[in-house]
Amino acid sequence: MRRHPELSAIPAEIRRAACAFHEAGHIIVGWHHERYVTHAWLRPPFGFSGETCFEPYRKGFRTERLADLRRAEVEVTILAAGHCGEMIYWNEGEGLRWYPGAIHSHDDDLEQMRPYTAFLQPADEAALLARCARSAAAILYNPPMLAAQKAIAGVLFERRRIDADEVDAIIRRPTAR
């Protein structure tokens, strides 16, 4: 295994596959928490970054509602799932061969967590983030969800886009449950 190669030394298909697993991580954990995806895509020209879009909430967040505090923690968990999903890719097969060491592909996810962590006002933010990452990883490593993540990542890798109906069909397959 090479250690810490320059990202530009990693073949494009390896970087695109890692991104596909990252986005699939968001999708799977979101689906688990009933946050349904509208679509996800890998950005042109190479697919080295992506975006997952969920159906919007129908109501805002208020700190006096316990359910909203739980929703905010779920959002942090979904955002943490991208990094967890990507690490699944880097820890096996071709990904392991090319793993670049510390990855920073989740910096935008960390930025998107800030409003939720500010809303939650945890006594220990690092502990909250670690708990959410563990929760995301537990969902992703569940064998049916792991199979679904790989299938979703495969579609994203090949077509660079996946829609809600395709996600639902993959997750609801008998082999994915």
Side-chain angles (χ1 to χ4, degrees):
M1 178 174 104
R2 285 201 254 176
R3 296 182 57 78
H4 308 287
E6 293 290 325
L7 281 179
S8 60
I10 300 173
E13 65 273 5
I14 299 297
R15 292 178 65 192
R16 186 169 52 253
C19 183
F21 269 78
H22 180 109
E23 297 308 321
H26 292 308
I27 292 168
I28 291 294
V29 174
W31 189 91
H32 174 85
H33 286 289
E34 299 180 350
R35 288 284 285 131
Y36 301 111
V37 69
T38 58
H39 68 282
W41 60 295
L42 304 184
R43 293 185 181 103
F46 303 110
F48 298 163
S49 68
E51 182 175 2
T52 298
C53 299
F54 293 95
E55 292 177 359
Y57 281 116
R58 295 194 174 135
K59 59 182 178 177
F61 288 78
R62 293 194 347 231
T63 54
E64 66 272 10
R65 292 193 301 223
L66 187 58
D68 288 349
L69 294 171
R70 176 69 185 128
R71 280 194 311 155
E73 188 165 324
V74 163
E75 289 301 313
V76 173
T77 302
I78 293 168
L79 288 162
H83 182 256
C84 296
E86 186 171 346
M87 290 310 299
I88 288 171
Y89 176 77
W90 289 122
N91 282 319
E92 62 182 42
E94 279 297 300
L96 182 59
R97 179 172 168 242
W98 289 97
Y99 180 57
I103 58 173
H104 301 284
S105 60
H106 61 292
D107 288 349
D108 62 331
D109 295 332
L110 294 171
E111 186 64 32
Q112 290 177 55
M113 287 178 195
R114 286 193 179 155
Y116 298 110
T117 57
F119 177 79
L120 291 166
Q121 299 179 1
D124 184 347
E125 187 173 324
L128 168 70
L129 298 179
R131 182 175 68 244
C132 290
R134 282 191 308 273
S135 177
I139 294 163
L140 291 172
Y141 275 102
N142 178 309
M145 294 296 100
L146 188 58
Q149 181 195 14
K150 289 179 179 182
I152 289 167
V155 171
L156 279 167
F157 178 85
E158 290 298 322
R159 294 203 341 253
R160 301 193 189 181
R161 182 179 173 89
I162 193 165
D163 294 314
D165 292 340
E166 295 168 298
V167 166
D168 199 50
I170 289 170
I171 294 175
R172 292 186 188 279
R173 280 185 199 156
T175 57
R177 278 262 148 201

